[in-house]
Amino acid sequence: MAAIIVVGTQWGDEGKGKIVDIYAGEADIIARFQGGNNAGHTLVVEGEQTILHLIPSGILHNGKTCILGNGMVINPKVLIREIDELQERHIFPSDTKLFISTNAHIIMPYHMRVDLAREARMGKSKIGTTGRGIGPAYEDKMSRVGIRLCDLLDDRIFREKLSKNIEEKNFYLTEFCKEEPVDSDAIYTEYKAYADRLREYAANTSLLIDEGLRSGKHILFEGAQGCHLDIDHGTFPFVTSSNTVAGSACCGSGIGPTRIDGVVGICKAYTTRVGSGPFVTELTDEIGEKIQNIGHEFGATTGRKRRCGWLDMVLVKQSVRVSGITGIALTKLDVLTGINPLKICVGYTTDHEEFTEVVPSNLNVFEQCRPLYEQFEGWTEDISHIRDFDELPAAVKRYVSRLEELAGVPVVLTSVGPDRDETIITQNPFDMKQ
Ligand code: GDP
Ligand code: IMO
Ligand code: MG
């Protein structure tokens, strides 16, 4: 029995989907604990690609329990579409079970409308959100007016909450945003149908996870986004609206921190970011373009081009600290093949200060930071067929070894291609129990 959390160590899109799919082979329960369909997690099995936005990345395996935890914000329309698509493609195994926490909050049409209207008003200073209504849905949760799955499933409560919410949202949309109001009756009818569809999946998922742990099962918690998109620990305000760090797995699934055995931080061999915000190691030259092209760095949710840059170890060190990471899964190392020299950022400098351990909280200071680089010899050999770490070229090993030294934790998995098979596993996370 072991409980392992997987989180992103950068600004999202590190390859969490691929790694969770691999670890899910050994897990019994796979649970998402925060975020919503702002996430886009890509799985490639024998060349066939699946992109998941809400359903945990364990779904392709037989006999698993997949959970959407209470910390998530769920768009029922998107979830139903995702379930239908997987079933149509015959990749939702009949003996794999799906459960949704009755405490999870529901994304409503007015959340998306408010998200988009606000971004449009902000112009150049916009966050660059995914436009999925994530921020407004979490706002309603925190201001205690949000609609949870259990509320949606109770007709009287749903009707009451919806009408109160719509009164306020329509005032905001029409008076402040100068937009059209939303139609209460249409939303009621649409969401009643979703309630009927989702009722069979509703459960107390905290209890299910607890029962799993008590009966000796392996639990895998799948983070979305990355540590630097965390609402508390990220590059505020250019962040998402949930806690993305490992601690969030406990609150977002309803189990205590004493039950966790290890945390795997997913780290891309370089850095990417979608949306706005400072990016110290960003490459706006032909190397950045090369990484973008070879790495197919397009958002799995919005299709936007991802900004690319050198590996930034200040970001990763902070993630190791804040999430208590015990091992790193290093992804997309193959994308760096043929780039020479390579650089790793080991610190930031401004005219006044140096930073090696922390990302400055003050946005003005962060914007002024210039990278301090160490340079590494690149490699030209194709590494995508290698399955034994010792067989990697010496230059690759030097790059990985410096990363491990700076992070202060070992690399437990190295990913050399998008497919499930293109992976070198050096340590099994379920054996990481201290
Ligand atoms: P997530 O949001 O963290 O799950 O990551 P995304 O799925 O949004 O983005 C990661 C992208 O990189 C996907 O297209 C994956 O198929 C791909 N990928 C994952 N690992 C590797 C790897 O080691 N090498 C290459 N070339 N692609 C990878
Ligand atoms: P996965 O799980 C990368 C970014 C958005 C934007 C900011 C706020 O696939 O790694 P939001 O819609 O959440 O309010 O947008 O966060 N963002 C992501 N970037 N990967 C993600 O998820 C992201 N989810 C949100 O681009 O900058
Ligand atoms: Mg993604």
Side-chain angles (χ1 to χ4, degrees):
M1 176 272 282
I4 300 296
I5 303 171
V6 170
V7 286
T9 61
Q10 294 153 320
W11 279 300
D13 304 326
E14 297 90 350
K16 297 175 291 292
K18 165 173 170 164
I19 307 308
V20 169
D21 168 62
I22 291 171
Y23 290 163
E26 272 199 56
D28 302 288
I29 300 178
I30 303 96
R32 281 263 321 255
F33 53 88
Q34 46 72 229
N37 62 314
N38 47 348
H41 296 178
T42 314
L43 288 61
V44 183
V45 182
E46 292 169 8
E48 193 181 339
Q49 190 186 67
T50 304
I51 299 178
L52 298 167
H53 300 289
L54 287 167
I55 294 179
S57 300
I59 197 74
L60 303 188
H61 296 271
N62 291 322
K64 307 295 172 183
T65 297
C66 287
I67 288 177
L68 280 75
N70 58 275
M72 290 186 73
V73 284
I74 296 168
N75 181 323
K77 185 178 181 176
V78 174
L79 178 58
I80 291 165
R81 193 169 59 216
E82 207 160 281
I83 294 170
D84 287 347
E85 278 176 14
L86 290 172
Q87 283 174 342
E88 276 159 29
R89 289 172 59 203
H90 306 290
I91 51 174
F92 185 157
S94 54
D95 55 353
T96 280
K97 295 188 186 72
L98 185 69
F99 294 104
I100 313 165
S101 167
T102 45
N103 284 4
H105 279 249
I106 300 296
I107 296 187
M108 305 298 295
Y110 44 79
H111 293 137
M112 288 173 278
R113 290 280 307 279
V114 168
D115 190 358
L116 294 169
R118 277 203 195 130
E119 284 280 280
R121 281 177 64 87
M122 282 166 88
K124 274 194 174 157
S125 57
K126 69 178 180 185
I127 306 291
T129 72
T130 58
R132 304 301 195 254
I134 305 296
Y138 276 116
E139 279 171 42
D140 278 2
K141 170 176 174 168
M142 291 307 173
S143 56
R144 296 159 294 184
V145 298
I147 295 172
R148 299 166 300 164
L149 179 62
C150 58
D151 302 323
L152 176 67
L153 297 178
D154 182 313
D155 190 56
R156 194 180 58 80
I157 295 177
F158 179 55
R159 221 181 250 278
E160 223 168 79
K161 282 194 138 185
L162 183 67
S163 96
K164 274 193 192 142
N165 273 301
I166 285 193
E167 196 185 345
E168 196 179 317
K169 303 301 172 196
N170 273 346
F171 180 78
Y172 184 81
L173 277 170
T174 55
E175 298 301 314
F176 184 73
C177 304
K178 307 292 176 209
E179 297 252 347
E180 290 297 310
V182 293
D183 180 347
S184 180
D185 290 342
I187 294 177
Y188 174 78
T189 310
E190 182 187 347
Y191 274 65
K192 276 308 291 170
Y194 298 152
D196 293 340
R197 256 312 291 279
L198 294 181
R199 193 175 299 275
E200 65 172 300
Y201 302 108
N204 183 317
T205 51
S206 159
L207 202 60
L208 290 177
I209 296 171
D210 181 63
E211 282 167 2
L213 283 167
R214 282 176 198 277
S215 59
K217 299 218 153 66
H218 283 336
I219 321 285
L220 188 60
F221 293 99
E222 174 181 6
Q225 290 81 51
C227 288
H228 296 279
L229 289 172
D230 183 281
I231 188 76
D232 284 286
H233 303 285
T235 48
F236 191 88
F238 299 102
V239 293
T240 190
S241 298
S242 65
N243 283 112
T244 61
V245 297
S248 182
C250 292
C251 309
S253 68
I255 65 149
T258 48
R259 316 291 287 279
I260 303 298
D261 298 295
V263 181
V264 177
I266 316 292
C267 176
K268 217 179 252 190
Y270 47 93
T271 313
T272 62
R273 173 164 215 174
V274 209
S276 324
F279 183 170
V280 178
T281 63
E282 183 166 15
L283 290 164
T284 49
D285 57 5
E286 67 280 4
I287 301 177
E289 215 167 291
K290 192 171 175 183
I291 293 175
Q292 208 266 326
N293 284 328
I294 299 173
H296 301 291
E297 294 295 355
F298 291 94
T301 297
T302 56
R304 290 177 290 178
K305 255 191 187 182
R306 294 174 182 153
R307 300 153 67 192
C308 298
W310 296 120
L311 177 63
D312 179 345
M313 287 307 292
V314 185
L315 294 183
V316 179
K317 275 182 176 180
Q318 177 154 317
S319 302
V320 169
R321 185 180 70 249
V322 175
S323 276
I325 287 167
T326 45
I328 284 186
L330 179 61
T331 59
K332 305 196 88 159
L333 200 51
D334 54 302
V335 175
L336 296 182
T337 301
I339 300 175
N340 195 27
L342 295 168
K343 289 180 186 176
I344 294 181
C345 172
V346 296
Y348 306 148
T349 181
T350 69
D351 291 342
H352 312 285
E353 288 172 273
E354 262 190 31
F355 301 90
T356 54
E357 306 301 319
V358 296
V359 178
S361 306
N362 183 319
L363 197 64
N364 283 332
V365 176
F366 192 35
E367 272 167 350
Q368 285 164 35
C369 284
R370 297 181 297 275
L372 296 168
Y373 285 124
E374 282 180 11
Q375 194 162 298
F376 293 80
E377 186 195 341
W379 59 89
T380 51
E381 301 92 327
D382 175 12
I383 59 168
S384 59
H385 60 279
I386 295 179
R387 301 289 175 265
D388 179 350
F389 192 86
D390 290 336
E391 287 172 16
L392 286 167
V396 180
K397 286 187 196 155
R398 278 194 294 272
Y399 188 83
V400 177
S401 157
R402 185 64 179 134
L403 187 158
E404 282 183 315
E405 205 171 68
L406 288 161
V409 287
V411 167
V412 295
L413 180 153
T414 310
S415 174
V416 290
D419 208 282
R420 191 189 265 174
D421 289 343
E422 291 170 313
T423 312
I424 302 168
I425 297 176
T426 31
Q427 205 181 323
N428 180 342
F430 291 109
D431 294 338
M432 282 160 69
K433 199 165 177 174
Q434 285 119 9

